[in-house]
Amino acid sequence: MLSFATLSSHQFTPVQKISTHSPEDADPKLSTHFSTPSQIKQLHAQLLKSGLPISTLPFPQIAAICALDYPSSFSYARQIFQLSTDTSETFLWNSHLQSLSISATPADALALFVRLRLFNVPFDEFTLSFVLNACSKLSRLYVGRAIHALVEKISFLRSNVYLLNTIVHMYACCGEMDLARMLFDRMLMRDVVSWNIMISQLAKRGEMESARELFDLMPEKSVRSWTALIAGYVQGKNPHEGIRLFEEMQEIGLRPNEVTVVAVLAACADLSELDLGRRVHEYSDRCGFWKNVRVCNTLIDMYIKCGCIETARKVFDGMVDRTVVSWSAMISGHAMHGQGKKALELFSRMTQAGLQPNGITFVGLLHACSHMGLLEEGRRFFASMTKDYGIMPKIEHYGCMVDLLSRAGLLDEAREFIKNMPIKPNSVVWGALLGGARVHKNVEIGEEAIRYLVKLDPLNDGYYVVQSNIYATAGRYDDVARMRCIMRERGVKKTPGWSTISLDGIMHKFVAGDDDHPQLPEIEERWNELLHEMRQRGYVPNTSVVLLDMDEVEKEKVVFRHSEKLAVVFGLMSTPPGMPIRVMKNLRVCDDCHAALKLISEITRRELIIRDRNRFHCFKDGTCSCNGYW
Ligand code: ZN
Ligand code: ZN
């Protein structure tokens, strides 16, 4: 009798030894009426009622059916397999190999294959493909090579496209892309799967040029081929191309699947492409994808990044199953949008539901505490991470803590905290301290932070700008001039600020100081009207944000042409009253724009949602959701 006793997992205790009868002994009524595990259970119940011996059951078939129903019926199947005396049938082994190859312990499939060979059980292309899949999952190249050699020896398998595809896939998964490509090039016959394997593996590695080349050569493209390429572009930080292909794919009448939807939603999130995101959302609802957790998680992320926190919450609330990713995304979303209380409420609900938070959940929680100035809660969460959940804090958690302490005005404590960190602080950590120094107008702490920042991130102009602002606020204009010199000496270039706004599916981009926009005269006219009203409400341009050496009037002109101002004014002109304006900005919003946008939201009674490099500012009725901390 064969046994699984040598395998590492899925151990079980044999209950009773059963010998199976030959098929002619089996009750025909019993043996033919099942194809699912639940039908087998019914059969089992009938059998017990009728008093017939359990050996009447056709064990190999039962074991094969149950083995495919991984993991729920798998252990039952293994018991039957072990207790059966007739285990020479290939399909029985195959069903077990298939389940094991996709299980959490694919090494068991390799061990089982060794036993199959030991007992001279005949195998077929399916047997080998399951073993190869296990090799792919385990990156076990030497076993994969041995199977490949076995295939080469058997003439009828050598040209089996299905099997060759699995071998190509195995080589690619084991990092042998050149071998995979060589084999693919040598294949006499290829099917759509062969092409898709190569395209998706190249795309996963970011080799988009080669992936595209094959895609263009492919005789017949499937949804999968398009999806692989779209996902590759999105992951490779080229979301525009991803979206362009997605539109092309729909034009030729192909229907995107769940994976395509996830990829294109991620592109929409990257670009704040709300209109397309909404259309994809409608489409996926029509297709019934709302049940898919990954689709829902990506929708939540997309809506959060497009500044629609309420819609994100609606998706979250409507989810049938939620994973830790869904909870963490929603917690971070509330924190990012200045709704710290909602973030903490969600965390309580999450733990009450028995879900284990992960490191990302805590980043969201710490952000929420930082934002609301909940110092003690923040400290408690930070301690609880390790103590209650065994999660070691990473650099981002330390960054959050420095942010929390700095915002609360505990700058000395924040500095001490950085010095006692067990890992080397990065620019984000020092940047958080610099931010605190700006808010609390502490020149000395700012100077300390900038000393480290110029070493860690020497060409990032953002830090010099913040430090200059600190000097300017303190009236130390000589130091402002000195910062300007340092920047020049070190060759630090000011990153041009740009903002985008999407209207009717068209993305409009504004670059700071832009003179080329065709509608600039109208934008200026509207801006001057607004400026008049803003001045009446006490607005004084804050030109300390301009680091250039020029007179005051010139400096005003520069701040008035900041890209987010241009984009917002353009949005106000181009949309009906009451409609929220959503703008994405590549840099941090400056002090002057922040003050101006507050007033504009009050004057125009519009909600202005600005996504900057770090967070969201939701300006409404003269206030901002960031409470002045950003
Ligand atoms: Zn600005
Ligand atoms: Zn703000």
Side-chain angles (χ1 to χ4, degrees), residues 359-360 363 366 393-401 423 426 428-429:
I360 300 164
V363 172
L366 293 172
K394 288 195 181 149
I395 195 81
E396 53 266 33
H397 300 106
Y398 286 102
C400 288
M401 279 309 281
I423 35 180
N426 63 4
V428 177
V429 174

Side-chain angles (χ1 to χ4, degrees), residues 38 41 96 127 134 158 186 252 321 381 399 434 527 544 608:
S38 75
K41 273 172 202 152
H96 277 79
T127 321
R158 220 176 292 150
R186 279 190 196 162
I252 58 163
D321 290 311
F381 279 131
L434 181 69
W527 165 252
S544 74
L608 313 173

Side-chain angles (χ1 to χ4, degrees), residues 594 617 624 626:
H594 203 269
H617 300 271
C624 180
C626 77

Side-chain angles (χ1 to χ4, degrees), residues 607-626:
E607 207 176 324
L608 313 173
I609 300 143
I610 317 290
R611 167 181 169 187
D612 79 2
R613 195 168 56 184
N614 304 319
R615 68 192 71 239
F616 280 93
H617 300 271
C618 181
F619 298 94
K620 203 179 170 187
D621 304 325
T623 58
C624 180
S625 61
C626 77

Side-chain angles (χ1 to χ4, degrees), residues 480-497:
V480 175
R482 193 169 53 83
M483 286 308 286
R484 214 159 38 219
C485 278
I486 297 175
M487 281 176 82
R488 210 171 21 234
E489 272 165 25
R490 301 194 177 176
V492 183
K493 296 242 166 52
K494 176 126 180 52
T495 313

